[in-house]
Amino acid sequence: MAGVALSQSDSVFEDSANNPSIRCDCSFENSTLCHITRLRVFSLEKRGRIPEELLAFRYLNFLKIDQNFFTGPLPAFVGNMSRLGLLSVAQNSLSGPIPKEIGNLKELYLLSLGINNFSGTIPPVLGNLVELQQLYINSCGLTGEIPSTFANLQNLQIVGASDNAFTGKIPEFIGSNWTKLASLRLEGNSFEGPIPSNIGNLTSLTILRITGIYNGSSSLDFVRNLKNISDLVLRNVLLTGSIPSDISDFQSLQKLDLSFNNLTGQIPGFLEIIVCQVPLLAKRAKFLRVCKSSYHCDVCDYVSYNQLSGNLPPWIDSSFQLNVVANNFTLNSSDIRLLPGLQCLQRGFPCNRNSPRYANFAIKCGGPQMTADGIVFEAENNSLGAATFNVTNTQKWAVSNVALYEDRENPLYVQNTNAQVKGTNTPALYLTSRISPVSLRYYGLGLENGPYTINLFFAETAYPDRSTQSWKSLGRRVFDIYIQGGLQVKDFDISKEAGGAEKAITRRFISNVTDNHLEIHLLWTGKGTCCVPELGYYGPSISAISVVPNFKPTVSGLPPGNSKRKTALIVGIAVPVGAVSLMLIYVVIHFKKRKNTMMRKCFLQLVLDQTHLAMLS
């Protein structure tokens, strides 16, 4: 393997133009002997196992082999490389348990094991790494509880431990022992609540992200002392009570996400102070840029899907990216002009309630209107940002997007592809997909009550297939599917379910509409990879939706006067009905040959019934 030997600064050593690269120290034996002290093999798609020949580098203190496709175990012999201060093997395909010998590396200040296929629990002996400052173990396959020995890691400044199957409670020692922490990310695990209140002692924290607490509620009181926080995400962690007014003192706050909790009360007026009164300061620039607003005042997804009530604050106007759907706000005519359609998406979904107008809908998610298999999929290609919603002018259906991408510089909310998606007769249906960082909801509004069949169309087009053996194929998109608020599929992985990337898969559900509205919810809970092929690639994705009644509707299912689309719908219904009829005719002929007179009459009557139903439609 060719490379470059360098003795310059770290920035030169890490330069992508110098890859692979080594650094030599030639000060040994009166400057007559050189030893390799650093080795970097970054994103070169190298394959195979980590070679034991590395042991020959007795003075190696830096080993970084990220973004390759090394397989097999992380070898135990790495524990003999006692001078290592940095060990980074992230974004490979390593498997097996973490060797306990890693605990021998007493000089480690950075350990990165993320995005691999390890198994088992964290070896308690890693608590011996008392010099450790940065620990990255996200998406690496580990399970179980965080060892109590980790209380010894009092020099930790950055911890990334998301997307694993960690269980038990978030350890109390984090708040009492890890006092130097600046960044703590615990998203997409299986921790129990409540959140330890002593996390409020970590006054150096600038980033705190915790999601997916499954039982044990918490209040927000513990955040009062986190005055240096810039990124506060406490999503879906069973928060109760109101939003403390102390947050108005958080002068560094750039991102606040408290969605999917049980917060009550009103939107505090002090949010105007946080977001609007000092918008031109440099510390706000990133926040404003992410939200893409030219107006001086901007808000991104603070409080959607809670139980907030009262009036909307007077400082909200149409320039905001503000998603406050599914709360209990009292809206006046001014609010409705500023946020059109919001009245349809408050709790109870009042539009056309008790006077339904529709009995079906089909949506081309993230793309233009098109017809596939005789179904007209309506366009859903309006711009959706970090915290936006859109209700069609017919009030037939709506879409709501929630949250910001974490660390993504150029956020996209539509995934485009030129790939020829396999496993479907309508590949054009998958050329675009609507994507979301956290929560994507589609609503059917004013539906006639009764049972419906819901078809959701998916294809993974963001990651290459695992068979390519590229580090980019390590990406996993994992999210949950809810229908009418009930969990239908947990940890849905499009590529896994379809048998590979760029393959179509349709998931079908039967659900009952009782209150004239239907909700389809795709929710990212922190699981799946975060950073493949780059930072901020994760979250739900869907290509199309179709919803049809399992009963004979008494409403047209179309806006009044739309005869052209009515014709298309009739065709869409008649085609599958005709296909069923042909199948039934075949059965009749088959039974005729067997001279079964009674069965022939029965199936002939079914054919007549199906034909009559198509004519009525």
Side-chain angles (χ1 to χ4, degrees), residues 215-233:
N215 54 60
S217 61
S218 308
S219 77
L220 269 173
D221 289 343
F222 74 91
V223 306
R224 295 178 184 273
N225 294 325
L226 304 181
K227 306 297 185 183
N228 295 311
I229 204 79
S230 63
D231 188 342
L232 179 60
V233 176

Side-chain angles (χ1 to χ4, degrees), residues 110-155:
L110 187 151
L111 176 62
S112 180
L113 307 172
I115 310 184
N116 275 287
N117 298 315
F118 295 119
S119 58
T121 59
I122 303 175
V125 71
L126 296 192
N128 294 338
L129 306 178
V130 294
E131 298 298 322
L132 205 60
Q133 300 172 26
Q134 300 181 41
L135 175 64
Y136 304 96
I137 52 174
N138 50 291
S139 302
C140 64
L142 296 176
T143 62
E145 298 188 8
I146 296 178
S148 59
T149 56
F150 271 37
N152 299 328
L153 306 181
Q154 299 185 24
N155 288 308

Side-chain angles (χ1 to χ4, degrees), residues 324-580:
V324 290
V325 304
N327 280 289
N328 294 312
F329 292 113
T330 301
L331 304 176
N332 56 41
S333 58
S334 176
D335 297 329
I336 294 172
R337 285 195 304 272
L338 292 172
L339 301 169
L342 181 59
Q343 74 278 12
C344 294
L345 299 182
Q346 290 300 287
R347 290 189 182 270
F349 301 91
C351 292
N352 298 314
R353 184 77 176 268
N354 302 321
S355 55
R357 292 197 294 181
Y358 307 111
N360 62 76
F361 62 94
I363 305 169
K364 175 62 199 87
C365 306
Q369 178 174 307
M370 66 173 295
T371 301
D373 287 335
I375 301 172
V376 177
F377 291 85
E378 295 186 53
E380 190 272 283
N381 53 2
N382 287 351
S383 295
L384 286 184
T388 49
F389 64 92
N390 180 56
V391 180
T392 60
N393 55 13
T394 61
Q395 296 183 354
K396 185 176 184 179
W397 56 266
V399 58
S400 169
N401 180 55
V402 165
L404 290 162
Y405 283 103
E406 297 173 359
D407 307 314
R408 190 164 177 174
E409 292 187 359
N410 299 302
L412 298 174
Y413 298 91
V414 172
Q415 179 72 39
N416 295 289
T417 182
N418 293 319
Q420 187 77 7
V421 172
K422 304 177 182 66
T424 175
N425 295 324
T426 57
L429 196 64
Y430 303 90
L431 292 177
T432 64
S433 299
R434 175 65 69 185
I435 57 177
S436 169
V438 174
S439 172
L440 186 61
R441 297 193 192 220
Y442 287 91
Y443 300 95
L445 303 174
L447 290 173
E448 184 173 4
N449 289 335
Y452 286 78
T453 294
I454 301 147
N455 291 300
L456 307 182
F457 301 85
F458 303 97
E460 182 54 71
T461 59
Y463 311 119
D465 194 79
R466 188 61 66 95
S467 63
T468 63
Q469 294 193 348
S470 164
W471 71 269
K472 294 180 180 179
S473 71
L474 299 170
R476 293 184 298 108
R477 186 187 305 280
V478 180
F479 55 93
D480 295 344
I481 301 175
Y482 289 80
I483 306 289
Q484 295 294 63
L487 180 61
Q488 302 297 315
V489 184
K490 184 173 179 59
D491 298 340
F492 180 65
D493 182 330
I494 298 174
S495 185
K496 182 179 179 180
E497 294 291 328
E502 298 178 358
K503 293 182 179 180
I505 181 172
T506 302
R507 295 301 301 262
R508 179 168 297 173
F509 307 94
I510 305 296
S511 187
N512 203 40
V513 171
T514 58
D515 295 314
N516 305 118
H517 74 273
L518 174 69
E519 180 186 282
I520 300 164
H521 186 195
L522 311 180
L523 178 64
W524 179 69
T525 61
K527 297 184 179 181
T529 54
C530 65
C531 318
V532 177
E534 62 184 71
L535 284 171
Y537 262 78
Y538 61 89
S541 170
I542 187 167
S543 297
I545 294 170
S546 75
V547 175
V548 295
N550 295 342
F551 59 94
K552 184 178 177 180
T554 62
V555 295
S556 70
L558 296 168
N562 199 335
S563 58
K564 183 181 293 186
R565 289 182 59 199
K566 183 175 182 180
T567 301
L569 178 67
I570 291 174
V571 172
I573 295 176
V575 168
V577 169
V580 172

Side-chain angles (χ1 to χ4, degrees), residues 67-86:
Q67 294 185 4
N68 289 287
F69 204 82
F70 288 108
T71 54
L74 178 62
F77 69 71
V78 173
N80 295 327
M81 303 171 71
S82 59
R83 288 181 171 85
L84 276 180
L86 183 147

